[in-house]
Amino acid sequence: MFLHRQELQHKAAPSKPDAIYARRLQEVLGGQYGEITIAMQYGFQAWNTHIPGKYRDLLFGIAAEEFGHVEMLAVMIAQLLEKAPVQQAEDAAKSDPVLGAVMGGMDVQHAIVAGAGARPVDSNGNPWQGSYITSSGNLLADFTANANGEMQGRIQAARLYHMTDDKGVHDLLSFLIARDTMHQNQWLAAIEDLKSEGIEQLPVPSNFPQSKEDNKVAYTYMNFSDGAAAQEGSWASGPTPDGNSEFSYADGPTSSVPMPPPTTPDERLYGTDPKSNTLEKAKAAVKDAVEKK
Amino acid sequence: MFLHRQELQHKAAPSKPDAIYARRLQEVLGGQYGEITIAMQYGFQAWNTHIPGKYRDLLFGIAAEEFGHVEMLAVMIAQLLEKAPVQQAEDAAKSDPVLGAVMGGMDVQHAIVAGAGARPVDSNGNPWQGSYITSSGNLLADFTANANGEMQGRIQAARLYHMTDDKGVHDLLSFLIARDTMHQNQWLAAIEDLKSEGIEQLPVPSNFPQSKEDNKVAYTYMNFSDGAAAQEGSWASGPTPDGNSEFSYADGPTSSVPMPPPTTPDERLYGTDPKSNTLEKAKAAVKDAVEKK
Amino acid sequence: MFLHRQELQHKAAPSKPDAIYARRLQEVLGGQYGEITIAMQYGFQAWNTHIPGKYRDLLFGIAAEEFGHVEMLAVMIAQLLEKAPVQQAEDAAKSDPVLGAVMGGMDVQHAIVAGAGARPVDSNGNPWQGSYITSSGNLLADFTANANGEMQGRIQAARLYHMTDDKGVHDLLSFLIARDTMHQNQWLAAIEDLKSEGIEQLPVPSNFPQSKEDNKVAYTYMNFSDGAAAQEGSWASGPTPDGNSEFSYADGPTSSVPMPPPTTPDERLYGTDPKSNTLEKAKAAVKDAVEKK
Amino acid sequence: MFLHRQELQHKAAPSKPDAIYARRLQEVLGGQYGEITIAMQYGFQAWNTHIPGKYRDLLFGIAAEEFGHVEMLAVMIAQLLEKAPVQQAEDAAKSDPVLGAVMGGMDVQHAIVAGAGARPVDSNGNPWQGSYITSSGNLLADFTANANGEMQGRIQAARLYHMTDDKGVHDLLSFLIARDTMHQNQWLAAIEDLKSEGIEQLPVPSNFPQSKEDNKVAYTYMNFSDGAAAQEGSWASGPTPDGNSEFSYADGPTSSVPMPPPTTPDERLYGTDPKSNTLEKAKAAVKDAVEKK
Amino acid sequence: MFLHRQELQHKAAPSKPDAIYARRLQEVLGGQYGEITIAMQYGFQAWNTHIPGKYRDLLFGIAAEEFGHVEMLAVMIAQLLEKAPVQQAEDAAKSDPVLGAVMGGMDVQHAIVAGAGARPVDSNGNPWQGSYITSSGNLLADFTANANGEMQGRIQAARLYHMTDDKGVHDLLSFLIARDTMHQNQWLAAIEDLKSEGIEQLPVPSNFPQSKEDNKVAYTYMNFSDGAAAQEGSWASGPTPDGNSEFSYADGPTSSVPMPPPTTPDERLYGTDPKSNTLEKAKAAVKDAVEKK
Amino acid sequence: MFLHRQELQHKAAPSKPDAIYARRLQEVLGGQYGEITIAMQYGFQAWNTHIPGKYRDLLFGIAAEEFGHVEMLAVMIAQLLEKAPVQQAEDAAKSDPVLGAVMGGMDVQHAIVAGAGARPVDSNGNPWQGSYITSSGNLLADFTANANGEMQGRIQAARLYHMTDDKGVHDLLSFLIARDTMHQNQWLAAIEDLKSEGIEQLPVPSNFPQSKEDNKVAYTYMNFSDGAAAQEGSWASGPTPDGNSEFSYADGPTSSVPMPPPTTPDERLYGTDPKSNTLEKAKAAVKDAVEKK
C-alpha cells in the first residue's frame, strides 16, 4: 500500500524553462535505466521475493523512495516545459536560428501530445516498457542487476549534469547522484551480505549442482578473436572469484563438431527441401495448374 | 571481421523432436537475457570501447564465441521442431488430449511463419529488441551489466534443464551452463582487474567529482516502508564498499519540500488552467459558436 | 513522495495455486487497461496538471490507491504461481493430458524468467508500455480517458471473475470491481464538475475558437457506408450534446476535390518519377557502368 | 468491402513545402490518437459488434470516412516534404543556421527511408501499433473510448493549428477540427442513445450483478494523498452518475490487511529462499565443485 | 476517399466455432505479412508515389481490395470465436483435457480484452506495427517488397489451410490463396513493366551513378564461410542479372585493413579511457571524497 | 561458429567527427533494412534451411560478411561521435545557432546513454527488433525478401551518400553500395538458379496444389479504385509470369456476398447485444443495486 504526500524529497524546480533540456531529462525518467525502471524493478523484486526480513524490507523501502524520484523528475520536466513556445517559436524556426535550434532539439510530443507535460518515454521518445526490468527471484543475480542499474543511472545523471548550467537542475541532479552513490554501495553491500549469510554463492544459481555442468569448459577463457592481449587479464589465469577453481586460457575453441545436417520438416509447411520440392513435383504442379484451367 | 566455420563449439542435437520445448528454448536464444543479447552487447561494447589492449581483446574474443552460441541454439531449435505435426496434430487437438496439449504449448509462429525454424524471439514470441543491450562506454558499469547478464542467463538455463529429460538437450545445456560459469567469473575478475589497474573505481563513474554531489545523503539508507528489518543489513551501518564513507540509517526521508505549484503553459496548448479556461472564456466560446451559425 | 506500508487495502490470497489463471490475471496488472496503466496515467496527469485544488488532489489521491492495486495483483499472481510445477509437469505434458493442459495455458516466462513471480506484462506476455497512458493537460479530455479506462478495466475484471471459482480470487476481484464502480462514477462526476465550474466545455478543447473551424461540416453525420440505419440514431438529428447546434445527416460526403497530383521530390532521393528516371537516364547509367569496367 | 475514389473529402495541399511541419503532422496520422488509430478502432468495433442496425451502421459509416482522413494526411505530408533538401541542406547544417534548424527539426527517416513520403509513425518516429486501439465488444465503454479519441485528436489538431501559418494546412486542419467536433458530439449522443434504448447502463458492464461486488467500497472516495481539497468535489458527496447510490468520502483506506508472507516456489526455479538456499546447501555445492575437479 | 459496402468479396463464415484456429488466423490478419500490412503498404506506396498513371492506379486499386480482405478475416475470426467458452471451459481446464487443450491453445486476450472479437495482432498476440510496411518511393524496390509480401502471405495461408478441416475456412482460404497467386504474378509483371518502360533498371536505384561505387567489389561473391559449394551457384560466375558485368568468386575477403584505434571522446562522458581514468585521477577522486566529509 | 579478426573488410574512418551524420548512419546499421537485419536474416535462413549444398553455403558465406558490415558501421559511427561536444555545445545551443543546429540534429542518446558510442537503433532511435527479419523456410520467397532487402539498403546508402561530403564516409559508402550491387544481383541470380534446378516454381509455394485454390479469381486484376489506367499495365492482360495462365481485368469485384450477421457470444463476456442487454435486464440490475444497499 502506498500513501502519497504532497511533498518532494528534494527541491525540483529549474531556474528557467528549457524545452531542450526537458527532452534530455526524459532519459532518467523514462529510459532503459530511468527512475520508472528502477522503481518498478525494486517493486517487482519485493512482490516476488521468497524471504521475509531484511532483504524484502530493503526492497520495499527503496522502491517507495524511487517512485518519489519518478515524481520529482516529472514535475521538474513539466516546469522546464512551462514556457515552451508555440506559434512564436515556430515562426522563429524559419527566421531566427536561435529559436530554430530550440525547436529542433525539443521533443515535439511534449507540446503536441502532452501540452507541456512530462511523459513516460526516454530522450528519443521511445515509450517506457516492462521489458526494461529484471526480477528473477534470485537475489544475488537481481542485486547485481540493481547495482548495474544504479551505475548506469549515475553515469547518465553525471553526463546530464554537464549539459546545462541551470542551478535548479544542478541542485536536483546533485541530490539524485548522491542517492545513486548510496544505492550503488547499498547493492554491493547487499551482495556481500547475501554471501556472508550463506544463502547465495557464486556461480549464480549456486545450488544448481556443478556436477551437472560440463566442467571441462567451466573455467577456461577461449579467445575467438585474434587479439593476444586478453591473455594478460586476471580472467585468464589465477583463482576464480567463485573460489572453486583456477582460470585457464585457450586460443580459440577447445572443441568442435560438424554442423548438423539440415532439417526436413513436414511437407505441408512448404519449405524448400530436396524431398518435397523435386523437379517432378514442380512439373506436376504446373500440369495441375494447366489442367485446372 | 567475422569468419564462419561450419562447425559448432559443442554438439547441438536433440534426442527427439519436441515442439513445446523448442518454444521454451527460444528464451535463451532471443529473450531479454538470451544469446542474441549477450553477443550484441559484447559486440557493441567492443566497438565503442575507448581503450586498446586486454579489455577490448576480451570483448572481441567473447563476442565472437557468443555469436556461435546463437547459432548452436538456432540449429537446436530447428531440430526440435523438425517433426512438429501439422494437420495430424490439429485434428488431435479436438480429440486427442495428449497431442492437444502439445499444440497448446508450442509457439504457433514456429509453424505458420518459420516453417519449423528458429526465430529471433523469446519464449512468448516477443521479438528481440535492441533496447535489451547495455553499452555505456564505462567499463566498470558495463562489466557489471555483463556479470548480471551471465547470471540471469545461467539461472534460465538451469531452469530449462529441469523442463526436459532429453539427453541431447541436457548435453548442450550442460555445456552452456559451464560457459556461463566461466563468464560470470570472468566479468567479476575483470571488474577487480579494472579497479586494481586504477582506471575505474567506485562509485561509478569514479571521476565525477563527489564534491558536486549532495554529500549529506550520499551514504544514508532511508526507509520509505514500515518494515524495520532493513536496519539489520550491512547497507545500514559499517564501511561502504567504495571505501569512502560509513553507512547510516534513517527511518524515512531526511528532508522534504512542498510540492511545487502547478505549471501554466502557453494558452494555445489548450490545457485546463484557471487563467485560460475561465467561465468567461467558455461563455465567449459558446457565443462565438452560436453566432457563427 | 510515496510512503509504503506493508499492508494491502484488501486480502489478496488465492485458495490454491493456479498457474493458468495467473497468466490471465496479468491482463489487469500489466495490460493496456491494467492497474499499471491506471496508476501511471493518474500520476502523470497529477504531475502535469495546471490547476491547484480539488482536481489535482483527486488525481494524487487516486493515483496512490492504484499503485497499491498494482501491488495487490502482483502478490496475488506470485501466490497463484507458488506451486507451478517444473520437471514434474513437464514430464506430464507428454503423458498426462490434465497437467499438459496446465502447461499449455500458462505463461512460460513466469517460470523461466521470473521464477514463479509476477511480471509487468499482459496476458499474452507483451511488456507494459508507456504509450498506454494518456495525459494531455486538458482535464475534460483526460477525465473521459479515465472513465473509459475504468470501464474497460471493470469489463475485464468481470470477465476474469467467471474464469475461476477460486474463492480468494473472487474475493479480490469483487473488491476491485467495486472500486472500478466507484472510479467510473467518480470520473463521470468530475466531468460534470469541470463543466459546472465553467472551466471546460464541449467540444474539447472548448477555447479553440469555433470560428476557425469549417462550420459547414461541424455537425453533420456523413454516411460512408451503405447501411441506412445510422440515420435513425440521435447523432443524425436533434440538438448536439455541446449545446451549440443541431445534428444533420448526409448520405455520403458533402464535398470532394480531386486527388492532388503526385509529388516530385529531389532526384537524389532516387524515387521513381518521370523526370529523373527517363529511359535516357537509365541508358546513361548502364553506359556508365559498362565504361567503368 | 471498401471502394476507393481518387478524390479527397477536402483539399489537402500546403501553400509551400515544410519538412519540419511534415514531421509534426505525423502525430495526427500515425500517433496514439492519429487517424490510423481512429479508423482501425471504428473498423474493429464494427467487425466485432454484436448488434445489427443503427450502431453497426454508424461504425461502418464513420470508419470509412476515417480511412479517407488517413489518406488526406498522407498526401498532405508527402507534399510538405516535396522539396525537402538533401545535400544542400546538409551542407547548410554546417554553415547556415537557418537551414541547419530545418534539418534538426525534421524526421530524418522521411528522407532516408521514405524518399520524401509519409510514414505510419508518430511525430517522434515511433511506428503505429495495434495496441493503440480499443474494441471490447461493450458499446458503452467503446463509445466512451471513441469520445476520448476524438477529444484528444481535436486537442492535437488545435495545437498543430498554431504551429504553422500555412494557409493550405490551416484549411485542412480547419476541416478536420470541425469533423472532430461532429464526432465528439456524435459519440456523446450515441452514449445517451444506448442508455435510453435500455441496452447499456452505468456502471459498465451493467449486467454484471452488483451483488457480486464488494458494495462496502463501491461508492466511497478514499484519499491516499494528503491534499484535503478532493473532498470538495462532486465525486465526494451527492448522488452518483449511475443513479444507484450516494458518494461518500474517506480520508485514506477504509480497510487493510497485512502483507501476505513471501512465496516458496519449487526449488528448481533457483530463487533465493531460506529453505533451498541454506548455508549447508551452499557449502555442499562448493564441496561438489571442488570434488568434481 | 474510401466508400464502404456492407458486402464481402467472398463468403467468410466458418462451419463451426474454433477458438484455437481463430488465434492462428490472426497471423494473416495482423502479422508481419498479414492483410493489414499488405493494405497499408499499398496505401502508403500510392500516397507517396511520384508518377501519375498506371502504377498509381494499380496501387490504389489493390490497396482498397486489401482493406476488404482485412475485413473478411476480422469477421471470420469473430465468428470462429462466437462460442468460445468462458467459465465452462475454465472448469474444464482442470478436469477435462479436451477442453483444457482448447483453452491452452487459444489467445486469452480474445476473451478478456475483445469479448470474442478480432484484434489487430498476430498469432502470438504481438500488436501490428507500422514498421512492417515498406514504402521507399522507388517502385522497382517496392514492387519487389510487394512480391515478397504476397509470397510470404501465400505460404502462411497454405500452411493454415492444413491446420483445419473446416469447410467454411477452407473456402475463404482457397479464395485468398488464389488472390495471392494473382498478386504475386501481378507484382512480378509490374517489375518487368517498369524495366521495359525504361524508368527503372537494375541495380536499384539505377540512376545512382555506378562510377561512384567501388567497382572492384561490385560483382564478386566473397565466401566468408568454409563451405565450398557456394562456388557452384549461378551467382559465382556468368553474366549478372543487371546485364552490366560478370560474376566472379573469391574465397574470403579480397581486401582488409586493421581495426581503427579506439575513440577518445570528451572526458565528461565518463567513459573508460586511459587519459581520463588514470590511477592518479582515481586517487584524487577518493581524496576529494574523503576531504569532503 | 564465428571467428573474429581485428581487421575490417574496408577502411571505416571519417575525415572528421560529425554527430548529426552519425545519427543518420544509424539507419543502415540498426534500421528496418540496416546491416543488423541483413546479417540476422541470412543467419536465420541458413540455420533454418532444409537443403545442404550451394544454397546453405551461400547463406552462411554472406551472413558472416554482413556481420562484418555491422562492425564497420559501428566503428564508423563511434568515430563520427568522437568529438561530440558536451557542455560547450549545450551552452552554444542558447547562443550559437551553428552549434545549436548540431545539437538539434543529433541523437541525444548517443551522448547520454552510449557516451559517444554506436547503438542498435535506427536514425530515429527506435531499437532494432527481431520482427524486421524474414525466414520462412521457403527459399524462393526468402531470396525475394533478400533481393528487396539489398535494394532498400542500396537506396538508403545512396541517399546517405549525398547527405555528407566527408571523404572517409564516401569511401565506406562507396564500398557498401558496391556490395549491395553484388548482393542484389546475387539474389536475383539465386532465384533463377532455384527455378532452373526445378526445386521451386511460381507461384510460391509451388507445391501447394493449385486445384485447391479458387481458380476463378487466380489471374484477374480487380480494380477497387476509379482510376482507369491500371488496365494498361502488363498485369491486366497477356501471359502471367508463372507461365500458368493469362491475366484478365475486371472493373471492381467479380463477386460479393452480404456481410454476415453480427455474432452473439457468451453473455458473461458482457458485450453489447440484444439478447443479454435488454431493458428488462438493465432494470433488474438497477433493482439489484438498490436492494443491495
Side-chain angles (χ1 to χ4, degrees), chain A:
Chain A
M1 182 185 291
F2 293 88
L3 298 175
H4 183 261
R5 273 196 214 153
Q6 295 189 16
E7 293 174 356
L8 301 177
Q9 196 181 355
H10 193 82
K11 186 151 178 280
S15 303
K16 60 188 173 307
D18 183 345
I20 289 183
Y21 198 79
R23 174 192 177 182
R24 296 187 181 175
L25 208 50
Q26 285 281 163
E27 189 64 36
V28 286
L29 170 56
Q32 182 187 10
Y33 290 110
E35 298 285 6
I36 297 178
T37 297
I38 301 300
M40 292 289 251
Q41 182 157 306
Y42 300 165
F44 273 89
Q45 287 178 12
W47 300 320
N48 289 341
T49 199
H50 310 307
I51 316 188
K54 66 182 173 182
Y55 302 116
R56 191 160 79 148
D57 281 10
L58 170 63
L59 287 163
F60 278 130
I62 186 168
E65 178 177 357
E66 302 287 3
F67 278 112
H69 291 192
V70 170
E71 181 175 62
M72 285 194 292
L73 284 164
V75 300
M76 172 62 94
I77 287 170
Q79 292 170 87
L80 283 164
L81 290 167
E82 191 163 7
K83 298 299 169 202
V86 184
Q87 187 186 342
Q88 171 189 16
E90 189 56 24
D91 296 346
K94 293 150 206 157
S95 57
D96 179 341
V98 177
L99 279 175
V102 172
M103 298 309 286
M106 72 173 284
D107 176 344
V108 294
Q109 293 188 312
H110 270 156
I112 302 172
V113 175
R119 303 183 68 238
V121 304
D122 69 18
S123 59
N124 264 335
N126 296 298
W128 188 85
Q129 52 181 308
S131 53
Y132 289 160
I133 82 160
T134 296
S135 172
S136 73
N138 184 297
L139 295 185
L140 187 42
D142 288 359
F143 289 180
T144 304
N146 297 352
N148 172 53
E150 298 285 351
M151 288 175 185
Q152 302 289 343
R154 194 169 180 271
I155 290 169
Q156 295 181 1
R159 286 168 179 164
L160 284 163
Y161 189 95
H162 293 298
M163 292 182 178
T164 183
D165 55 9
D166 184 293
K167 283 196 177 9
V169 173
H170 274 186
D171 185 48
L172 176 61
L173 286 176
S174 169
F175 179 81
L176 292 172
I177 290 169
R179 296 308 291 156
D180 288 342
T181 297
M182 170 60 200
H183 297 149
Q184 270 185 47
N185 277 284
Q186 161 194 306
W187 294 119
L188 295 170
I191 286 167
E192 295 311 311
D193 199 297
L194 275 171
K195 291 194 282 189
S196 70
E197 295 276 359
I199 58 177
E200 289 290 353
Q201 299 297 336
L202 296 171
V204 174
S206 52
N207 45 358
F208 180 82
Q210 285 200 282
S211 53
K212 286 188 176 161
E213 64 179 84
D214 185 348
N215 54 55
K216 293 182 303 298
V217 297
Y219 295 102
T220 303
Y221 177 81
M222 300 176 194
N223 193 35
F224 280 73
S225 183
D226 60 357
Q231 190 165 5
E232 302 159 15
S234 61
W235 53 81
S237 63
T240 57
D242 65 6
N244 294 350
S245 189
E246 297 272 327
F247 283 120
S248 62
Y249 176 91
D251 196 10
T254 57
S255 61
S256 77
V257 299
M259 179 72 61
T263 56
T264 312
D266 191 296
E267 289 191 11
R268 281 160 303 177
L269 292 174
Y270 300 110
T272 300
D273 76 89
K275 276 214 326 266
S276 65
N277 307 72
T278 60
L279 189 50
E280 288 66 37
K281 286 217 173 185
K283 282 179 184 164
V286 170
K287 187 151 164 289
D288 165 81
V290 169
E291 284 173 358
K292 171 183 55 67
K293 290 200 303 182

Side-chain angles (χ1 to χ4, degrees), chain C residues 258-282:
Chain C
M259 179 73 62
T263 57
T264 312
D266 191 296
E267 289 191 11
R268 282 160 303 178
L269 291 175
Y270 301 109
T272 299
D273 76 90
K275 278 214 325 264
S276 68
N277 305 74
T278 60
L279 188 52
E280 290 65 37
K281 286 214 173 185

Side-chain angles (χ1 to χ4, degrees), chain B residues 4 90 107 109 139 200, chain E residues 24 27 124 163 224-225 272:
Chain B
H4 182 261
E90 189 58 23
D107 176 343
Q109 292 189 313
L139 295 185
E200 290 290 353
Chain E
R24 295 188 182 174
E27 189 65 36
N124 264 334
M163 293 183 179
F224 280 72
S225 184
T272 299

Side-chain angles (χ1 to χ4, degrees), chain B residues 17 41 59 76 91 96 103 123 128 155 186 196 205 248 261 267 270 280 284:
Chain B
Q41 181 157 307
L59 287 163
M76 173 61 93
D91 295 346
D96 178 341
M103 299 308 286
S123 59
W128 188 84
I155 290 169
Q186 162 193 306
S196 71
S248 62
E267 289 191 11
Y270 301 109
E280 288 65 37

Side-chain angles (χ1 to χ4, degrees), chain D residues 4 90 107 109 137 139 200, chain F residues 24 27 124 163 224-225 272:
Chain D
H4 183 260
E90 189 58 23
D107 176 344
Q109 292 189 313
L139 295 185
E200 289 291 353
Chain F
R24 295 185 182 177
E27 189 64 36
N124 265 334
M163 293 183 179
F224 280 71
S225 184
T272 299

